[in-house]
Amino acid sequence: MRVSIIMLWLFLPMLGQAKTTFSYYKCVTDKTIVYSQHPCAPNAEQHTLSHSDPKAPPPDGRHTKTLNNIERQQLVHRLKKTLRAKKHQAAILGRKRDEATRDEQRRISRMMGKNERAKTLKEVKRNIKSINTTYLKEVKLINKEIASLEKRLKRLE
């Protein structure tokens, strides 16, 4: 009797550290990421969850919703960062355009003769028009990307 009590006290710490484990699969598709108990695609990655509470029941398979929410939150966070970067890029383009326009306009204010001034004025106008055209093309592309990112972000939120 006494030996069995001593054995019980020796094995009790081992029982308290028993772990419950559960495996799941993460499948990446073109549009989303899916978590499943079974492989859902050839590129499925197996992951294992473990819990050290022996009294806790094993997961019932409803954890996929939580994992998908976490993945969605990460996607939203990445989209917000990308969106902020694109807006910053558009602002930088505006500054560069303004600086180039100012440089061209400074050329007019230099001391020169009438003929040379008229020739320079035409060249400056042509250069400013070229700068604005290039700027508008680049900003149009960035605005399309921003609109696309905002649309994806709205869909995920």
Side-chain angles (χ1 to χ4, degrees):
M1 174 77 175
R2 190 171 191 189
V3 173
S4 62
I5 293 175
I6 292 174
M7 294 294 278
L8 179 65
W9 280 105
L10 289 175
F11 288 112
L12 191 59
M14 284 190 234
L15 292 175
Q17 295 185 9
K19 287 190 175 184
T20 304
T21 59
F22 179 75
S23 296
Y24 66 94
Y25 294 89
K26 177 182 177 183
C27 303
V28 179
T29 63
D30 292 338
K31 295 183 180 181
T32 60
I33 296 176
V34 179
Y35 297 94
S36 173
Q37 292 177 341
H38 308 288
C40 46
N43 64 345
E45 297 176 17
Q46 184 176 7
H47 298 275
T48 304
L49 295 173
S50 61
H51 195 283
S52 60
D53 185 7
K55 295 177 184 175
D60 59 356
R62 295 184 194 161
H63 63 283
T64 57
K65 195 172 199 176
T66 303
L67 292 173
N68 286 336
N69 282 336
I70 291 170
E71 187 71 28
R72 185 182 54 76
Q73 288 172 353
Q74 289 175 344
L75 284 172
V76 166
H77 181 67
R78 277 188 237 125
L79 280 174
K80 285 181 179 178
K81 285 174 64 175
T82 306
L83 189 61
R84 188 175 68 230
K86 290 293 178 185
K87 287 180 179 179
H88 181 68
Q89 187 178 4
I92 289 172
L93 279 176
R95 279 187 242 135
K96 286 182 179 180
R97 179 200 57 175
D98 293 343
E99 182 181 349
T101 303
R102 275 192 309 272
D103 289 343
E104 287 296 319
Q105 289 173 344
R106 282 187 195 128
R107 288 179 57 195
I108 299 171
S109 63
R110 295 185 186 132
M111 299 276 286
M112 57 184 91
K114 278 187 171 184
N115 290 338
E116 191 178 345
R117 184 174 179 87
K119 184 178 163 185
T120 304
L121 188 57
K122 285 181 184 178
E123 186 180 329
V124 165
K125 285 182 181 180
R126 193 174 346 110
N127 289 346
I128 289 175
K129 186 176 180 180
S130 172
I131 289 168
N132 285 333
T133 304
T134 305
Y135 168 77
L136 290 174
K137 285 179 184 177
E138 290 177 358
V139 166
K140 187 176 181 180
L141 288 174
I142 289 176
N143 284 338
K144 280 184 181 180
E145 291 175 8
I146 288 173
S148 171
L149 290 170
E150 285 175 342
K151 188 176 179 181
R152 284 179 57 197
L153 185 62
K154 188 175 183 180
R155 221 179 327 137
L156 288 172
E157 286 184 327

